[in-house]
Amino acid sequence: MELLRLIHGYQFGSGLAFLFPTPYALSTLVLLVWSLGPAIKGEVRFGFLVWLRLTWALTLIPAVTGLILAVGGEKVPSATNVGGGLSKYGLPVDPSRDWEHWMYSALCLLTLYITEVLVKGRLVPHRPGLRFLPVATLFLYGCAYMIGRVAVFPGSTPGT
């Protein structure tokens, strides 16, 4: 269980952690910047597809480990009381953050699927659809960032 917690909860400790607190958030930020090329040029190159697949892997690894932890009764650290009404980070416990963590994870999976649809040109004409790629990846980055933020910081309803 400890190995799963380590894999699932890995965070960067550097000074740039406010931009990308986790490897997943970093991969989505790179995908966001990289998506500008296909949106402008109207074509998707092999490198972008490789990075998109890597982002899928970095999505599924914490998602699967998180599901296993959840089945084992775990909740996000911001929703777990380690004593005195505080989380492991010394902040007030907020049980509602557990559901937010699930919501943002689901939104990331949905956005990655939409990104695949835009890249493949299904449901939307290929070239016009690529113009929406930066919007989708910006939303993806925002959700990936919030996954890490929700796991650490309490929301507006601590202690309820």
Side-chain angles (χ1 to χ4, degrees), residues 26-98:
L26 175 60
S27 73
T28 59
L29 181 61
V30 170
L31 192 68
L32 166 63
V33 172
W34 206 331
S35 72
L36 296 173
I40 293 169
K41 294 180 182 177
E43 67 175 312
V44 178
R45 296 202 176 149
F46 181 71
F48 181 81
L49 293 174
V50 168
W51 195 262
L52 182 60
R53 297 312 180 272
L54 177 68
T55 304
W56 267 108
L58 288 172
T59 302
L60 294 176
I61 290 170
V64 169
T65 56
L67 283 172
I68 295 168
L69 289 169
V71 167
E74 298 281 324
K75 294 183 185 250
V76 295
S78 63
T80 306
N81 189 351
V82 294
L86 298 176
S87 70
K88 82 174 198 177
Y89 297 107
L91 300 168
V93 173
D94 187 356
S96 68
R97 295 304 247 185
D98 195 49

